[in-house]
Amino acid sequence: MNTKELLMSLSNIDGPAGFEGPVLDAIEQIVKGLCDKTWRNKVGTLIAEKKGSGKTKLGIFAHVDEVGLTVAKVEEGFLRLETVGGVDPKVLLAQRVKVYTREGVVNGIVGILPPHLQKEEHRSKFPDYDKIFVDVSCDERGDKVRVGDICVFDVKPIEINGKISGKALDNRAGCVSLLLAANLLRKLQHDADVYFIFSSQEEVQGPGAISATYELGLDQAVVVDVTHANVKQASLPLIKLGEGPVLGIGPTIDPGFYKRALDIAQKHNVKVQIEPLPGRSGTDTDQIQITRIGVKTLLISIPLMYMHTPVEVVDLKDVEETARLLAFIAAE
């Protein structure tokens, strides 16, 4: 499996929260050849089962949805937007976007006054969503846009010196690590029944991971997501791109599972970083941990720069090392 090609392919597919279907279709085509059985639950989460001895059930999660936008108002060739997940309005300025309508994709441009025409008050302020519009007047199908249509950044991923930059790497990088781990696990013996779970609607705190956890009655769960890399914060350790997967430690993480994961990483020479999580993790971990009678949960994060923008960056080595750690955890 080619990590770069797989990650760029999944980044290219549009799938904001609640509209993950095309991404799930692509993932299912790959994972069904690596596992014994696949199915989707009622809220659009894909589950791939790899049978062990049946003594215990381990779920490995990655959410497939990305942040996006929705059309809130249509005004004679111009659209007003609201966010699906956390999108800073500053990253929208002068971007191309795609609007998914019932009649197909409409191309739009987020307009901004050129510097020649800006007044001083324009230069010193960033507009909020009340001041931002999408111009679809250049597209002959612009009149087909309706309130509620989904909108995404129109951007293609690129490789930069072993790193990938593009949209939706939060959390398609996690999805790729699950696929790579499933492939590695074919060569390893494992007692646990392992479920690779590609969950929906994480960016809007949706039901994807919770419903799958409840359905399967998991004993343990590993959540794979992303975390901020190469950002200096006075009270936190520096997480570095290219330095390996990140193990979270805090109230939402089972301490015994965390210690076991550290031991397994050391045993198999997987370099890991540590991230303190004094409260909620902001990932599916928080909900999985308290589903049904509770689940022993571990969080593994892939370092990522420029989160929730069209130019997110991950290092391919981190994605591959995360997969290696997942496979060894599942086996042991």
Side-chain angles (χ1 to χ4, degrees), residues 286-305:
D286 306 327
Q287 286 76 38
I288 291 169
Q289 182 208 25
I290 57 172
T291 300
R292 283 185 104 159
I293 60 171
V295 180
K296 293 182 177 182
T297 306
L298 176 73
L299 174 61
I300 301 177
S301 300
I302 297 171
L304 175 141
M305 296 170 64

Side-chain angles (χ1 to χ4, degrees), residues 41-251:
N41 70 12
K42 293 180 180 178
V43 292
T45 284
L46 172 65
I47 302 167
E49 179 183 44
K50 197 169 188 308
K51 278 290 187 183
S53 66
K55 293 180 180 178
T56 187
K57 293 182 177 182
L58 170 68
I60 304 179
F61 291 77
H63 74 85
V64 302
D65 58 312
E66 63 189 279
V67 296
L69 303 141
T70 187
V71 176
K73 192 176 182 181
V74 180
E75 299 176 329
E76 297 182 358
F78 298 96
L79 314 177
R80 303 291 179 178
L81 302 174
E82 289 291 345
T83 64
V84 177
V87 183
D88 190 324
K90 292 190 288 292
V91 306
L92 273 167
L93 301 182
Q95 292 281 349
R96 290 190 300 272
V97 296
K98 292 185 284 185
V99 185
Y100 281 86
T101 76
R102 295 170 213 176
E103 284 78 21
V105 174
V106 169
N107 296 295
I109 297 166
V110 181
I112 182 172
L113 281 173
H116 320 67
L117 304 180
Q118 290 183 19
K119 298 178 181 178
E120 187 56 40
E121 60 265 29
H122 297 145
R123 298 176 189 273
S124 59
K125 292 181 181 179
F126 284 107
D128 57 21
Y129 280 99
D130 287 338
K131 303 284 194 308
I132 289 174
F133 61 86
V134 177
D135 185 350
V136 292
S137 63
C138 295
D139 194 314
E140 61 183 10
R141 296 170 298 173
D143 60 351
K144 304 299 183 184
V145 179
R146 297 175 176 89
V147 169
D149 286 344
I150 287 295
C151 184
V152 296
F153 293 112
D154 186 3
V155 60
K156 300 292 184 185
I158 60 170
E159 181 188 3
I160 307 172
N161 191 28
K163 303 169 183 65
I164 300 297
S165 174
K167 71 169 185 64
L169 301 182
D170 172 14
N171 187 33
R172 308 288 161 72
C175 295
V176 170
S177 73
L178 263 64
L179 293 171
L180 295 175
N183 189 45
L184 290 171
L185 201 57
R186 292 194 297 172
K187 303 173 184 177
L188 301 172
Q189 298 235 340
H190 54 97
D191 286 333
D193 290 341
V194 181
Y195 299 89
F196 294 97
I197 301 161
F198 302 88
S199 60
S200 62
Q201 301 180 57
E202 188 272 349
E203 296 293 358
V204 291
Q205 298 183 337
I210 305 170
S211 59
T213 305
Y214 194 98
E215 174 186 351
L216 296 170
L218 300 175
D219 299 297
Q220 292 176 297
V222 182
V223 176
V224 181
D225 211 314
V226 296
T227 192
H228 303 287
N230 295 16
V231 178
K232 291 184 178 180
Q233 301 179 70
S235 60
L236 294 172
L238 178 64
I239 302 300
K240 295 182 180 179
L241 211 67
E243 293 295 313
V246 182
L247 293 180
I249 181 64

